[in-house]
Structures are given as structure tokens and as C-alpha cells.
């Protein structure tokens, strides 16, 4: 049994930067982004379900340059620390063609409890709780995280500009911030 995503049939070019224990080097991530910058075309979409709470200026700059120079769209997971996304790299990147994505909770009008928040840098929200995903051990598994939300937005971007359907709210930033929810129907 497989999993059908938002953009079924889309060509996917995986670029691995982490090992089997989810560890990797910053230089490997930068090299991967630079590789994309050399091969991407306008309209291509890059999903970056990666990041963390330590600012990594080299990654941030590589994404900004790649998005600017290629016209490709970069979708970045906001992070799962239940904190301000601007403290996470590369979620904090704010540039044309860069979309930072937070995760919807089970109540599809609020952010997931784990999701980072803050506008800016977050642009949109997408489903990120109990998402059916392929398991590295075979079969499928239910997963949650902004790394599950970001691919929804990446798939939607393959069809052109994002369409939204309402807003998710969060009071964790003490501003009752509203985040546009991306429409992600399977086409």
C-alpha cells in the first residue's frame, strides 16, 4: 500500500543530507542547496523538511540565493519546538520564493501544539498532525510535524500560486496571529 500526495505523479528528485540516525553536517545541507541552485528552473519546488533551533547563517544565505537566482520555490518547515520560528534555521528565512510552513492541529483552525509560530517568518499553515506517511521500515505510519506540513505546500505550489481556505489562529505569540491555511486537496 502506498501513499498519494497532493501532487500525485510529480517527479521527485531526492537529495539526502542526513544519515539513518537523522544526523548530518551543515556543509552537506549547504552543498545540497547549492546543487539545487545549479539545476533548478523557475517553477521547480524544493521541500526543506529540515532545520533546528541553532541559527545557521550559511544555510539561510544558500536558500536566499538559490530562490533568488533560480526562480524555484523553496518550502521550509517551521520547526517543532513550540516557539518562535524566527529562532530556527532555515525557518527564519524571509525572501521571495521562500515559504515557511507551520502545522495545523487536530482542530483544523488552530496550530498544532508542537508547531513553531510567529509571523513573520511563517507564511502559511498546512495539515501536519497524524499524516499517513511511508515508514522507513516498510509500510505506512502516522506522523506529525511541520516536516509533514511542508510537503503539502510544496505539492500545492506545483500547481501555481497557493490557494487558501480560511485561517488557523495561535495565541502563543500573544497577538492572536492568523495563518492562511493552504488548500491541499488531492488532484
Amino acid at each position: 500500500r502506498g501513499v498519494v500526495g497532493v501532487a500525485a505523479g510529480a517527479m521527485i528528485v531526492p537529495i539526502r543530507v542526513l544519515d539513518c540516525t537523522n544526523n548530518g553536517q551543515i556543509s552537506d545541507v549547504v552543498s545540497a542547496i547549492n546543487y539545487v541552485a545549479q539545476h533548478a528552473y523557475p517553477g521547480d519546488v524544493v521541500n526543506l523538511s529540515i532545520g533546528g533551533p541553532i541559527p545557521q547563517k550559511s544555510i539561510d544565505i544558500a536558500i536566499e540565493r538559490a530562490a533568488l537566482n533560480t526562480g524555484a520555490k523553496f518550502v521550509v518547515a517551521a520547526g517543532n519546538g513550540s516557539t518562535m520560528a524566527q529562532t530556527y534555521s532555515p525557518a527564519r528565512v524571509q525572501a521571495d520564493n521562500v515559504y515557511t510552513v507551520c502545522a495545523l492541529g487536530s482542530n483544523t483552525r488552530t496550530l498544532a501544539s508542537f508547531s513553531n509560530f510567529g509571523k513573520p517568518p511563517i507564511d502559511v499553515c498546512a495539515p501536519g498532525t497524524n499524516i499517513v506517511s511511508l515508514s522507513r521500515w516498510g509500510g505506512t505510519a502516522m506522523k506529525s510535524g511541520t516536516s509533514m506540513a511542508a510537503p503539502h505546500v510544496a505539492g500545492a505550489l506545483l500547481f501555481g500560486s497557493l490557494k487558501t481556505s480560511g485561517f488557523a489562529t495561535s495565541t502563543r505569540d500573544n497577538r492572536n496571529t492568523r495563518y492562511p491555511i493552504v488548500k491541499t486537496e488531492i488532484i
Side-chain angles (χ1 to χ4, degrees):
R1 179 176 144 204
V3 176
V4 176
V6 173
M11 181 172 51
I12 296 173
V13 180
I15 302 173
R16 187 173 181 161
V17 297
L18 301 178
D19 64 20
C20 293
T21 62
N22 289 328
N23 291 308
Q25 301 297 315
I26 300 303
S27 60
D28 293 336
V29 177
V30 172
S31 292
I33 295 165
N34 290 338
Y35 176 86
V36 169
Q38 293 171 0
H39 296 89
Y41 292 97
D44 286 351
V45 179
V46 180
N47 179 64
L48 290 160
S49 289
I50 193 168
I54 300 171
Q56 298 295 338
K57 194 165 184 121
S58 58
I59 293 175
D60 298 349
I61 290 169
I63 291 170
E64 289 171 1
R65 287 183 181 158
L68 174 69
N69 294 333
T70 65
K73 299 168 185 169
F74 286 75
V75 181
V76 181
N80 303 320
S82 191
T83 191
M84 296 294 287
Q86 66 197 35
T87 64
Y88 274 54
S89 282
R92 66 189 187 149
V93 173
Q94 297 177 63
D96 289 342
N97 293 328
V98 177
Y99 303 81
T100 300
V101 184
C102 61
L104 278 172
S106 299
N107 165 358
T108 59
R109 294 290 175 209
T110 59
L111 263 61
S113 61
F114 55 79
S115 183
N116 283 355
F117 53 89
K119 196 171 179 184
I122 293 177
D123 299 293
V124 293
C125 195
T129 305
N130 296 321
I131 305 300
V132 178
S133 183
L134 295 176
S135 170
R136 69 180 181 179
W137 297 281
T140 59
M142 302 298 281
K143 297 184 180 182
S144 297
T146 59
S147 290
M148 300 295 111
H152 281 88
V153 175
L157 278 168
L158 285 173
F159 296 104
S161 61
L162 292 177
K163 295 172 181 53
T164 60
S165 177
F167 295 88
T169 58
S170 172
T171 56
R172 287 184 274 164
D173 60 0
N174 298 317
R175 293 187 294 176
N176 201 29
T177 304
R178 295 166 40 124
Y179 302 92
I181 301 171
V182 171
K183 288 179 95 172
T184 57
E185 293 93 18
I186 296 174
I187 296 176

